[in-house]
């Protein structure tokens, strides 16, 4: 936990007034989801909600909605607010990942504690996981992956308790679905590939393994179907569901050169490497040349160990998949198609980002590294010191730096101190000025500060607003939203027409809006106030905001 706190230390002086400098918008979205989950504690939670994108709503399951994390940490959110929960969960996920893999390596694999500690630390704080901590809590919430792996290992290792372990495995898989669905997807893919590679390498007595393993996996599948059939229907066929992936696989693919590069978020990293990824939250394949050399050397040394060989082989497959439909070298797209091209467009895969397949290789590489340290410590005197020193030397450059943070505007007292209740009823609609969207979702924090006690039009989310109902980020803004956005961007109040006033009345009725709110310090605040004064009459000063009550 100390290491997790050090990585997130930039948020701790003032969680509400600090934001992740590399991805503040996803942080605002995460905080809204964490706050929305607290509604479950008053019996008012649904997979499709009109609290965002009012009145049409948002399909929570079609977004990285942090349902599991939100419910688990809801008491903390209720007590201290979503920004504090966000800071805690960001560090907690990294530390819990490391602890989970340490226990698996030490107790299940029987590795030396020092070796298990090295492997666990790499799993928790590898550059890819630290990078994903920039607002992608659904990707770093992978601490149920080690128990899932343990269940599969025990089903294959012991010919007993198949039903009991199958029930546990199914429950863990269902829980991981709500923590992070993409993590569950990557875990299943990786486990399947590992089992195939291990079987081809070790050639175990399938007659003794398959009955127990098959029974356990069958029970687990039955549990998963029973628990997730309805949520999956809602996600893919329910209201506000969307077909197709919204993020292009060609853009979110790993650059071939990135595998030997050091992440800019690591101790030995440099900013020049940043161009090898689609963004600072996607340094998924930045393992560094020293670590890859250690893994290669360890595999050669321990080539008789099927588990080591299988881990290395599957890592190479995952690396290949992470390259996307076309291989990119040094930020240059080549004509060479990658293995992912065979999967591109398939159901489920269309939602996955190719670069994140490299994340699934982290525990595999960690196991190989831990195995070589274990072998050196327990089996040879000549390499007892040399190998751990070499491994440490390869890992030190990857040590994580604290996540960069920046100041952010505080949520107005109008919301934090409850003045909003005089503006709108509970679950009524308050229109932030200008309205939040994917370019600037910070106004979503206003509702989050109240436990999402009122609805917000528009917002930053994935919904069925692309061509033919396909997935898209956000919606087409309504006329009044476009008008206010122009005023904010240009800094001057636009000339108003009767058509603008008619559109305003229609938009108020559509949103079921109770009032409009303009916070101090908003970009173009003078132009926005003049525009709304002209549309709705003089604004009313309440606490630290201007409000305009919607006419009825």
């Amino acid at each position: 936990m100390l290491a997790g706190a050090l990585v997130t230390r930039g948020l701790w002086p003032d969680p509400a007034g600090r934001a992740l400098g590399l991805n503040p918008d996803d942080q605002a979205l995460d905080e809204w989801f964490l706050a929305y989950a607290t509604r479950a504690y008053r019996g008012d939670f649904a997979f499709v909600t009109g609290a965002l994108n009012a009145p049409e709503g948002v399909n929570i399951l079609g977004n990285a909605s942090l349902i599991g994390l939100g419910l688990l940490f809801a008491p903390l959110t209720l007590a201290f607010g979503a920004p504090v929960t966000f800071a805690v969960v960001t560090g907690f996920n990294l530390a819990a990942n490391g602890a989970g893999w340490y226990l698996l390596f030490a107790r299940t694999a029987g590795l030396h504690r020092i070796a298990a500690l090295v492997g666990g630390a790499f799993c928790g704080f590898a550059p890819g996981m630290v990078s994903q901590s920039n607002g992608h809590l659904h990707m770093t919430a992978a601490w149920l992956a080690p128990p899932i792996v343990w269940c599969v290992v025990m089903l294959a290792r012991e010919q007993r308790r198949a039903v009991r372990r199958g029930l546990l495995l199914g429950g863990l898989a269902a829980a991981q679905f709500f923590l992070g669905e993409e993590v569950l997807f990557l875990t299943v893919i990786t486990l399947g590939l590992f089992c195939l590679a291990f079987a081809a390498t070790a050639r175990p007595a399938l007659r003794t393994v398959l009955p127990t393993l098959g029974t356990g996996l069958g029970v687990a599948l039955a549990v998963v179907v029973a628990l997730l059939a309805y949520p999956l229907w809602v996600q893919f066929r329910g209201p506000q569901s969307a077909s197709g992936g919204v993020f292009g696989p060609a853009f979110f693919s790993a650059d071939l050169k990135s595998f030997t590069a050091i992440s800019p978020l690591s101790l030995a990293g440099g900013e020049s490497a940043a161009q090898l990824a689609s963004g600072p939250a996607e340094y998924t394949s930045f393992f560094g040349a020293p670590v890859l050399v250690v893994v290669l050397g360890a595999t050669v040394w321990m080539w008789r160990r099927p588990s080591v060989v299988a881990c290395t082989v599957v890592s190479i497959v995952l690396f290949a998949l992470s390259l996307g439909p076309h291989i990119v070298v040094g930020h240059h797209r080549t004509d060479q198609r990658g293995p992912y091209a065979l999967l591109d467009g398939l159901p489920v895969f269309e939602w996955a980002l190719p670069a994140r397949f490299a994340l699934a290789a982290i525990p595999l590489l960690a196991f190989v590294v831990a195995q070589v340290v274990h072998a050196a410590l327990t089996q040879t005197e000549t390499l007892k010191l040399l190998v751990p020193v070499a491994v440490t030397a390869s890992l030190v450059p990857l040590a994580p730096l604290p996540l960069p943070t920046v100041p952010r505007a505080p949520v107005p007292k109008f919301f934090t101190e409850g003045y909003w209740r005089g503006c709108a009823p509970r679950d009524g609609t308050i229109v932030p000025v200008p309205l939040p969207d994917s370019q600037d979702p910070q106004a979503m924090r206003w509702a989050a500060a109240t436990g999402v006690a009122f609805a917000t039009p528009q917002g930053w989310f994935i919904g069925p607003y692309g061509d033919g109902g396909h997935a898209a980020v956000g919606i087409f803004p309504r006329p009044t939203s476009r008008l206010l956005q122009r005023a904010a961007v240009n800094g001057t109040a636009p000339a108003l027409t009767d058509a603008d006033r008619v559109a305003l009345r229609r938009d108020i009725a559509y949103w079921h809006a109770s009032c409009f709110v303009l916070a101090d310090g908003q970009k173009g605040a003078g132009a926005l106030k003049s525009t709304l004064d002209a549309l709705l009459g003089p604004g009313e000063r309440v606490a630290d905001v201007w409000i305009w009550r919607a006419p009825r």
Side-chain angles (χ1 to χ4, degrees):
M1 287 302 296
L2 177 60
L6 290 174
V7 171
T8 58
R9 70 182 186 183
L11 296 172
W12 286 111
D14 182 12
R18 304 288 298 178
L20 296 172
L22 300 178
N23 197 4
D25 291 346
D26 276 1
Q27 180 177 347
L29 176 64
D30 284 351
E31 289 176 358
W32 190 93
F33 282 133
L34 290 170
Y36 175 70
T38 64
R39 293 172 59 127
Y41 280 53
R42 54 186 170 97
D44 186 19
F45 180 90
F47 291 146
V48 180
T49 177
L52 191 63
N53 187 34
E56 293 187 15
V58 171
N59 188 313
I60 294 295
L61 291 169
N63 289 264
S65 50
L66 310 182
I67 294 175
L69 290 171
L71 294 176
L72 182 62
F73 287 91
L76 182 66
T77 307
L78 290 169
F80 300 103
V84 171
T85 301
F86 178 86
V88 169
V89 172
T90 301
F92 170 83
N93 279 349
L94 296 176
N97 290 338
W101 288 108
Y102 164 78
L103 292 173
L104 187 74
F105 294 158
R107 297 187 178 182
T108 305
L111 301 185
H112 191 285
R113 288 187 178 182
I114 294 178
L117 182 62
V118 171
F122 184 71
C123 287
F125 296 90
M129 298 305 291
V130 174
S131 172
Q132 291 290 323
S133 295
N134 283 295
H136 294 173
L137 299 186
H138 64 293
M139 294 303 302
T140 61
W143 30 271
L144 289 184
I148 289 173
V149 173
W150 178 85
C151 287
V152 176
V153 170
M154 297 309 292
L155 284 171
R157 181 182 292 179
E158 298 181 1
Q159 283 69 57
R160 57 194 181 94
R161 300 177 182 175
V163 173
R164 183 184 304 179
R165 285 177 179 147
L167 291 172
L168 177 59
L169 177 59
L172 288 170
Q176 181 60 62
F177 174 88
F178 291 109
L179 283 177
E181 187 177 358
E182 194 168 350
V183 171
L184 177 61
F185 170 75
L186 292 174
T187 301
V188 171
I189 293 294
T190 305
L191 269 173
L193 291 173
F194 177 84
C195 289
L196 291 175
F198 184 82
T201 306
R203 298 179 182 177
L206 296 182
R207 290 182 179 180
T208 60
V209 174
L210 286 182
T212 306
L213 183 61
T215 300
L217 294 180
V219 171
L221 180 60
V223 171
V224 167
V225 170
L227 295 178
L228 299 183
Y230 176 69
L232 286 170
W233 178 86
V234 172
Q235 178 180 355
F236 293 105
R237 290 290 183 267
Q240 292 298 96
S241 61
S243 61
V246 68
F247 301 114
F251 182 74
F252 288 96
S253 298
D255 191 303
L256 189 60
K257 284 190 174 182
S258 67
F259 291 95
T260 58
I262 305 294
S263 166
L265 301 177
S266 296
L267 184 64
E271 290 301 322
S272 60
Q275 65 178 341
L276 298 176
S278 58
E282 300 296 341
Y283 299 148
T284 56
S285 52
F286 288 57
F287 292 100
V291 167
L292 298 183
V293 169
V294 166
V295 170
L296 179 61
T299 305
V300 172
W301 182 27
M302 298 183 291
W303 67 274
R304 292 183 181 274
R305 300 190 184 189
S307 58
V308 171
V309 174
C311 282
T312 302
V313 169
V314 175
S315 295
I316 294 172
V317 173
L318 293 171
F319 287 175
L321 289 173
S322 72
L323 295 173
H326 283 86
I327 295 176
V328 176
V329 182
H331 210 57
H332 172 70
R333 180 181 180 273
T334 70
D335 294 330
Q336 181 63 48
R337 292 173 66 83
Y340 185 85
L342 301 174
L343 308 174
D344 194 9
L346 293 178
V348 182
F349 283 92
E350 64 184 354
W351 290 82
L353 303 185
R356 292 181 181 173
F357 279 97
L359 291 175
I362 291 174
L364 302 175
L365 299 183
F367 180 75
V368 175
V369 170
Q371 275 280 14
V372 77
V373 174
H374 171 81
L377 292 175
T378 60
Q379 298 175 18
T380 174
E381 286 296 330
T382 57
L383 299 178
K384 191 170 186 177
L385 180 62
L386 180 60
V387 169
V389 169
V391 169
T392 301
S394 72
L395 293 177
V396 166
L398 303 183
L401 298 173
L403 296 173
T405 58
V406 294
R408 62 176 175 178
V411 174
K413 294 180 180 179
F414 178 79
F415 298 102
T416 60
E417 298 183 5
Y419 291 97
W420 67 271
R421 294 186 181 91
C423 176
R426 191 173 190 87
D427 295 326
T429 301
I430 293 178
V431 182
V433 180
L435 282 76
D437 57 22
S438 59
Q439 302 302 312
D440 183 11
Q442 294 299 318
M444 291 169 57
R445 297 169 51 219
W446 299 356
T450 70
V452 190
F454 60 83
T456 303
Q458 288 192 187
W460 158 216
F461 60 93
I462 296 173
Y465 296 101
D467 293 339
H470 280 66
V473 175
I475 65 171
F476 294 111
R478 295 187 66 82
T480 301
S481 177
R482 293 198 297 270
L483 179 71
L484 296 174
Q485 187 62 38
R486 288 201 305 273
V489 171
N490 297 331
T492 56
L496 300 177
T497 66
D498 289 341
D500 293 325
R501 294 180 173 85
V502 171
L504 173 66
R505 289 194 295 270
R506 290 175 177 170
D507 291 342
I508 288 174
Y510 174 78
W511 289 324
H512 305 294
S514 297
C515 65
F516 293 73
V517 177
L518 173 63
D520 291 344
Q522 173 65 50
K523 178 183 178 181
L528 289 167
K529 183 178 183 302
S530 298
T531 301
L532 285 170
D533 282 343
L535 288 170
L536 295 170
E540 177 184 351
R541 185 68 177 176
V542 180
D544 51 353
V545 303
W546 290 97
I547 71 169
W548 291 263
R549 300 181 190 276
R552 296 296 181 187

